Amino acid sequence: MSQPDDEDLHVVGLTTETARLEALLGRASAGGPVVALVEGPAGIGKTTLLRRFLRRHPGLATTTVAGLPWESRRAGELARRLLDDDPEDTSPGPAGNDPVDLGIALARRWEARAGQEPLLVVVDDADCADPVSLQAIASAVARIHEDPVVLLLVRTTGWPDTSDPEAGAVLDRLAAVSVPVSRLGPAETRLLAARVAAVDLPTPVARRLCEHTAGIPGHLLEMLRDTRPVRWSDWQTRLPAPASIQRRVQQALERCSPEAQALVQAAAVLGRNPVLADAAALARLTDPIAALDEACAAGLLATADGHGLDGLVFPERFIRGAVHATLSPRARHDLHLRAAAVVTDDTERLRHRVEAAPLPDAHLADELVELASRKADEGAWAVVAGALVDASRISPTRADREDRLIRAVDALAGAGLIAQAVDALPEVEALPAGPRRDAVLAYVAIQRGRRAEAATHLDTAWRRRGSDRRAAAVVCQREVLHALADWDGEALVRWAGRAVEHAEPGSPAAVESRAIVGLGHAARGHVAAAFTAYRQAVAENPSGPQHQRARMGLGWLYLAQDDPEAARRELEFAVPTARQAGSNRISLWALVWLARTRFALGDWAGALDAVGQGEVLLGTTGLELLRPLIHWTGAQIRALRGEPEAAERHLQLGGAGAQDYTIMTVPALLARAHVAEAVSDYPAVVRHLAALATRTPRGGLDEPGFWPWHDVYANALVVTDRLSEAEEFLSPLEATVHLRGHRSASARLGYVRGRLLAGRGDLVRAEAAFEEARAQLGGLPLPYDRARVDFAHGITLRRAGRRRGAAALLTTARQSFAALGAQVYVERCDRELKTGRPAPRGTEADAQGLTEQERTVAGLVATGLTNKEVAASMLLSVKTVQFHLTRVYTKLGVRSRSELAARFPRHPVA
C-alpha cells in the first residue's frame, strides 16, 4: 500500500466523492455538459477534493476561479474572470453586464476549448460569487448541448453563512448533481491523527473527537495541532473550540457593546438552551432586547424556534464553548455563583456551584450525592451520572472519589449512555477489585451484548459481596438483566427475589427488579402472574422512568399475549423520553417492540418508522444488545416487500454470534430465516433455525407468543419433505400452546399441521386443521397471520386438484398480502392462480393425459426455472419435482428441458 504524498498527508476519506466526480467526468466524455454542486460546511474538504481531482487529470483543459466575498456586489465580475482565464482567446467579452450576453460568451469559449477530452470549469466558493455571474453560468450551460464540459461549483453550507441569498437562489435553480462531502467517522479520525500527529488514538477517544468536531477535518486538524494528546484520554475533560472559531467568536464579541457581551456570556454560562429572562437577570440587564438584537446580528445568539424571544440557542456547536473560554477565571467564578442563585432547578443550581468551585469541596460533593440519590429513586440515570461525576471530581478523599466514580459509570450504563460508560472503563478497571466495581463492569458488558464477559464479572461480584447487602442487591439486579437478555425466566425470577430480599425497600435495585420480574414470570409460562406484577409496577410508579419501564414491559407482554392494540398504546407511551424525563435505554426497548407490534397490526410503514428511530437511538446510546432486535423487523418487512438489498443491509447490521445473548441470537436468526423464506429458499430457513431447535438449555425459548419462529421452521421442514422431523418438532409445541390457550401461536402451528397432514395424504384432517387455525385468529387484528393461513390452505387445495376452493382462498390471501405490501407473496399467489387453471382443451399436454400437478411442473420448467426453483415456487421437495418431471418426459416423449420448452405451452411466471 503506497504512502500518501506530502500534500495528501492530512487527507482522509473523500473516496466516495472522488468516485462520483470520476463518474460525472465519464458521463461528460460521452457527450454533453455535466454540472455538479460540491457542498458541505467550512473545513469539510471541498477544496481539497477538487484539488486532488484536478491532479488526477493533469492533461485536461481546465478553467478555475474562486468567488470572492468583496466582489459579490460587482455585477459580472466572476464571469469576466472566467472569460479572461483562456490565454489563447484574447477577444474582448461583452461590453455590459447582461447575464445572457455574458452567458453566450462563456458558452462560446467553453465550446471552443472542449474537444475530444472534456473541459473542466471549476468555481470554488460559488456561494460568494456575484449573482449576475452565476446567472451567466446558468445561461451558458443552457446553451451547451453536445460538448463535453464539466462544471464543478463549490458551495459552503452551515455557519457562518456568508453567502448572498440571491446567489444561493441561482445555485438552487441550477440543474446540478449534488455531491455532498461526507464527515469523518471514528476510524477516519484515528487515521488522520496517526498521519498528522503520529498519535494512536484509542477508539473511544477517536469517537469523542469525531463527535466534538462534527467529523469536519478542518476542525480536527486544528485540534490535533493545538491540543495536547493527553487531554483527549481524559473522559471527563471538556474539549475546546477549534482555534479559528475561537478567534472568530472573540472578534465578534469585541465588536459588541458591553450589554451584548454580557448577555452572550451569561447565556454561555447558563447552558446549551438558556432562557432570555435568566440570561438578562444574570447579566443584570434591565432592557435586554437591544442587546439580544445585537448578539443575533453578530451571529453569537439566536432565538429558539417556537419560543418567541424567550428561548435562546447558539447558532453553531462551538460558539458556547468559545464564549465560555473568553471568560477570565474570576468572571467565570462570579457568573456561575450568580447563576446558582438565578436558576430554579436543583440540578442546574448544583451544576453552577460545581463550576464555581476552585477546590475540592466535601459539603458540595455530599449535596451532589444526595441529589443523585433522589434522582436514582426516580430512575433519572442521566442526571444521576452527571451529579456523581461532579461529586467524584470535587471529593477530597480518594475513597469517596472511587466510590462515586463507580456509581457514576453505573448510572451512565443505566441511562443508556454506553459510549460514555465505555470511555470511563479504563479508569474503573484500574480501581481495586470489589463487588460494586465488578457489578458495574458486568452492567456495561450486558448493554454491549457481551454475554461471557458479563457472566464472569457477575460471578466474581457475587463471590466478593461479603456482608454488604446494598452491593449484593445491585449484583442481584444486574443478574436480573443478565437473565432477561438470555430469556431465562427461572433465573430472572430467582434473582429478582434475591434483589428484593437484599435491597432496602424503595431502592432502585428493588424497584427495577420488580419492574422486570413480570417478564420472568411470562418467560416461564406464568402469564397471570406476569400481568399482576406489571399492574402493580405501573401503580407503584405513577411517573418518571420507572413508570416508563413498567409500561414498556406491559406493552411487550400484551404483544406476546395477542393484544397488539393494547401493546401499541403502552409502547407508544413508553417511547418518548422528553415528556416524562425517561431513559433512552427504555425508549429503545419500547421502539423494538413497537416495531413488532405495528408489524403484527399490518402497519408496516409505521413499523419501519420505529425501526428508523431505533437505528438513530442505537447510534446515540451504543446499546449493542438491542441491535439485532431492531434490525429483525426491518429485514423481514424489506424482504416481504421484495427489496433484497435493503433486507441484506438489515441482516448485516443486525447479526449476532452463537455465543451471544438469546435476545440477540433469536432475532438475528429469525431475520435470516425470513429473508430466505421470502426467496423460497426453504433449505436455508431450516439451516438458520436449526440452531434454535437444538438449543439447550431452552429457557423460555418455546413459550408461545414471544419468539414466533416455530411455525417458520416447521413449515420449512414440511416444504423440504422432512415430514417426520416436522411431526416430532410440532407435537410438544402444540401441547404447550394448548395448555397456555395461546390463539395466534395455535393458528401458526395449525396451518403447518394442515400442510403436514396434506403431505401425508390426509386431506380431510388437513382441512380441519386449516379451519381451526382460521377460527383461532377470529377477532384478532393479525392480518399477516390470517393471510399466511389462507395462502397455505389455498396451495394445499390446489395440490389436491380442488381448483375452485383453492382459487377463492388464494384470491383472499392475495388481497391481504397486497394491502400489507407483501409483494413477494402477491407474486406467489398470482403464480399459483395462473398455474392452477386447467390447460386449454385440445393442447398437446392435455392430450397426453398430464395431471394438474404435472402440467404445473412442466409449465414452470418450460419458463426456464431449475428443479430447485420449481420446488421452492410450488412448496414441494426437489425429489417430488423430479418425479413429476420424469413422468412428464415419458408422457410427452421428450428427452430434455429444451424439447419440453418447445412443445409445452409456456405460462409466464409472475
Side-chain angles (χ1 to χ4, degrees), residues 166-191:
E166 190 177 350
V170 178
L171 290 172
D172 288 337
R173 283 197 296 269
L174 273 171
V177 177
S178 177
V179 182
V181 181
S182 302
R183 300 171 186 267
L184 300 183
E188 294 162 321
T189 298
R190 290 192 69 196
L191 178 58

Side-chain angles (χ1 to χ4, degrees), residues 18-95:
T18 300
R20 292 196 67 185
L21 293 183
E22 293 289 348
L24 293 173
L25 180 61
R27 205 168 90 190
S29 299
V34 172
V35 183
L37 190 58
V38 180
E39 301 180 278
I44 196 68
K46 303 182 296 297
T47 301
T48 301
L49 170 65
L50 291 183
R51 186 182 70 246
R52 296 184 76 196
F53 181 68
L54 293 174
R55 283 169 49 201
R56 290 168 66 99
H57 301 281
L60 293 181
T62 305
T63 292
T64 305
V65 296
L68 302 174
W70 53 89
E71 291 185 354
S72 62
R73 287 303 171 188
R74 298 191 63 170
E77 194 66 28
L78 184 136
R80 294 190 180 282
R81 285 198 279 124
L82 278 171
L83 289 169
D84 294 341
D85 193 58
D86 185 356
E88 298 181 3
D89 191 337
T90 58
S91 60

